[in-house]
Amino acid sequence: MTERGDTNRRRGGYTRRQVMRGALGAGAALSVGGLAAACGGSSGGGSSGGGGGSGGAAGGTIRIGSFADPAMVPFRDDFLPKFKADTGITAKYSETNYDAWYQNSKTDGLQKTGGYDIYVMDDNWVPEFAAGGIVQSLDELGLKVNPDILEKGLDQGYWPPKTGPRLKDFADATPELFALVIIDDVQMLYYHKDYFSSPPATWDDVFNVAKTKSNPPKLYGWSPRGVAGNPIVQTYGGNFANDDWSPGFNGPEGVGALERLFEFIPYMPSSIADYDTTEETALLLQGHCTALTEYTGTAHAVDDPQQSKVVNKIDFAATPSQEKSGPAIGTFICGIASGAPNTAGAVKFLEWFTSDAVQKDFAGGGSAAVTGSALRDPSLASQYRWLPAIADAVDNSIPKPRTPDEPKMEDLLGTALNQALVEAISKKSGYTAIAQSHLNTAAQQISDYLAQQGTY
């Protein structure tokens, strides 16, 4: 995710999917490995039962608002009716486009107008919405967290963050849970089983297949996004932002990661610098590339004969390691509105939806559930083979820096990465100097931008 929360987020017409593609640029930046170091954390304790309804007596109606996204269709159409059947509480649901919902939910929370009980959010809204009092502390409301929720998905809802850099005004604050993950969207490796006998463990493995088996333009070795915000390299051991907010991507690790991307140039489409999600996934679905990195939303398409010529040919794994694995994570996450009319009903819904039984039911349609037991259930994995890969990817994921300015940081780095790729394609040599120059430029731009904000 990216392009939220700053000039980019406020441009009209973005969908969550478009926003997330940008996020692969920086926080997840340099994604043939993970330049950002993986952050940890600990999950909250609590019940894994079917929704105990903490926070007082719940009943009546709750109102849930969201941005429109295909991943929300089962949630909306199947599980809200089930919630009423199980609890007697009616869940009214409304959605709009991504930009409009960000503004609507923010206004509702700041003014405490009570239009909604639950906001479905992008996880990098959490710093702004939590720090600004737009959503309530779920800890204070007594929400019981299912301990089977994957830790790194759960961590996306804490403010301030448990690990990594913090805004100086929150340097000594105790992290509290302000939002609860409902869909674990994360970057995975999609690889063609005809060319890989087993999941590639490192980017060297991916490169070796590209070098020995690709045959452009019939078969490319890897299909990354080349536009600004490109997922480029993700496992070479650097950081997007160090704990003091200084850029950590322009050292030897970042340069090495970007050089590795450039080595794939002979095995990628010549117009790769202009590729976005549509173009890269089309190559995979038409059988014209051996591997790509993408979020979970593409998984359903690979076995759909209406969309795919590679039905049952694609398998899934966490993104490969070099120094470490480090997929980008971008969860769908729910907060309870500051002016929620039915706080108890909202708490009951979040506990119910993230319970073991409901999460297994949710994964039973192939959706990216948030509990380990649902994603790793053998019977479900035999039908939806991407589910255990989602769990592995979440467990190895790299969170973005937790600040409302993160989308701007990603945009600056993503643009520099695209410019570096364009230059490398043109010159076909001098890769080290190209990588160092563009990464240094992005590092300086980000440092200057953060200095102007005065909150770091």
Side-chain angles (χ1 to χ4, degrees):
M1 300 179 280
T2 184
E3 298 175 348
R4 306 172 294 274
D6 210 285
T7 55
N8 289 316
R9 176 181 57 200
R10 293 183 172 87
R11 292 185 205 142
Y14 278 100
T15 66
R16 180 180 188 273
R17 181 172 294 273
Q18 289 168 327
V19 167
M20 288 185 63
R21 307 314 167 194
L24 289 176
L30 299 184
S31 133
V32 7
L35 286 188
C39 296
S42 59
S43 60
S47 169
S48 62
S54 303
T61 298
I62 60 171
R63 292 172 172 82
I64 302 173
S66 178
F67 46 80
D69 191 282
M72 292 298 295
V73 172
F75 176 95
R76 178 194 68 202
D77 294 350
D78 300 332
F79 287 87
L80 298 189
K82 290 179 181 180
F83 176 64
K84 182 175 182 179
D86 284 358
T87 66
I89 301 172
T90 298
K92 294 186 176 180
Y93 180 90
S94 60
E95 64 182 31
T96 185
N97 69 62
Y98 187 96
D99 276 359
W101 175 237
Y102 163 77
Q103 295 290 353
N104 291 350
S105 56
K106 181 177 177 179
T107 299
D108 179 75
L110 288 173
Q111 298 182 359
K112 295 181 170 58
T113 54
Y116 302 92
D117 295 289
I118 293 174
Y119 305 140
V120 178
M121 305 181 294
D122 218 339
D123 63 19
N124 82 342
W125 299 6
V126 170
E128 181 180 12
F129 278 44
I134 297 169
V135 294
Q136 301 183 54
S137 166
L138 300 180
D139 289 341
E140 290 185 3
L141 294 177
L143 181 139
K144 298 176 182 177
V145 175
N146 181 349
D148 194 37
I149 294 174
L150 295 177
E151 182 178 49
K152 289 192 175 180
L154 182 66
D155 284 353
Q156 297 297 95
Y158 279 92
W159 182 256
K162 288 185 171 183
T163 59
R166 289 186 178 188
L167 301 183
K168 63 184 180 183
D169 288 346
F170 298 89
D172 299 320
T174 299
E176 295 181 63
L177 188 67
F178 279 88
L180 189 65
V181 57
I182 60 165
I183 297 176
D184 264 332
D185 205 6
V186 66
Q187 189 184 20
M188 300 186 294
L189 182 76
Y190 294 65
Y191 65 94
H192 199 303
K193 292 185 287 186
D194 284 357
Y195 309 109
F196 295 91
S197 58
S198 61
T202 68
W203 284 104
D204 290 341
D205 296 335
V206 178
F207 181 76
N208 288 336
V209 167
K211 187 175 181 179
T212 60
K213 298 185 179 181
S214 63
N215 183 25
K218 292 182 180 180
L219 182 67
Y220 295 103
W222 184 35
S223 174
R225 292 173 60 251
V227 297
N230 175 15
I232 307 184
V233 205
Q234 198 160 279
T235 45
Y236 279 67
N239 297 300
F240 179 29
N242 296 319
D243 284 350
D244 62 358
W245 290 103
S246 62
F249 54 78
N250 59 326
E253 300 88 354
V255 172
L258 194 48
E259 285 184 279
R260 168 42 59 95
L261 170 71
F262 297 159
E263 292 174 355
F264 277 92
I265 287 173
Y267 316 112
M268 298 191 296
S270 59
S271 57
I272 194 66
D274 297 323
Y275 269 40
D276 209 330
T277 302
T278 299
E279 292 80 10
E280 66 158 358
T281 56
L283 284 182
L284 179 78
L285 297 177
Q286 295 303 307
H288 295 316
C289 77
T290 67
L292 62 75
T293 50
E294 252 304 333
Y295 275 89
T296 61
T298 301
H300 285 272
V302 299
D303 286 343
D304 180 358
Q306 301 299 315
Q307 304 181 64
S308 174
K309 294 182 180 179
V310 288
V311 173
N312 294 321
K313 292 285 189 179
I314 304 301
D315 218 334
F316 309 85
T319 55
S321 299
Q322 207 63 33
E323 296 297 324
K324 64 179 76 174
S325 181
I329 187 170
T331 64
F332 294 65
I333 200 163
C334 284
I336 295 179
S338 60
N342 189 353
T343 298
V347 169
K348 189 174 186 71
F349 176 81
L350 294 180
E351 291 181 347
W352 174 87
F353 186 73
T354 57
S355 67
D356 288 344
V358 175
Q359 281 296 292
K360 185 173 180 180
D361 197 10
F362 189 54
S367 292
V370 301
T371 60
S373 59
L375 291 170
R376 293 189 167 104
D377 183 278
S379 62
L380 297 179
S382 66
Q383 185 176 3
Y384 303 108
R385 59 191 181 280
W386 52 85
L387 294 179
I390 291 174
D392 291 345
V394 172
D395 285 345
N396 288 284
S397 63
I398 293 174
K400 299 173 290 294
R402 308 303 278 169
T403 166
D405 291 314
E406 177 267 336
K408 178 64 175 180
M409 298 163 67
E410 289 190 7
D411 180 64
L412 291 170
L413 178 53
T415 298
L417 295 176
N418 176 253
Q419 292 169 345
L421 181 59
V422 170
E423 184 177 351
I425 291 171
S426 173
K427 293 185 175 179
K428 298 181 175 61
S429 64
Y431 291 162
T432 302
I434 292 170
Q436 189 70 74
S437 173
H438 288 279
L439 291 175
N440 283 343
T441 296
Q444 188 61 55
Q445 290 174 338
I446 289 172
S447 295
D448 291 346
Y449 175 81
L450 294 183
Q452 292 171 5
Q453 309 314 303
T455 53
Y456 298 89

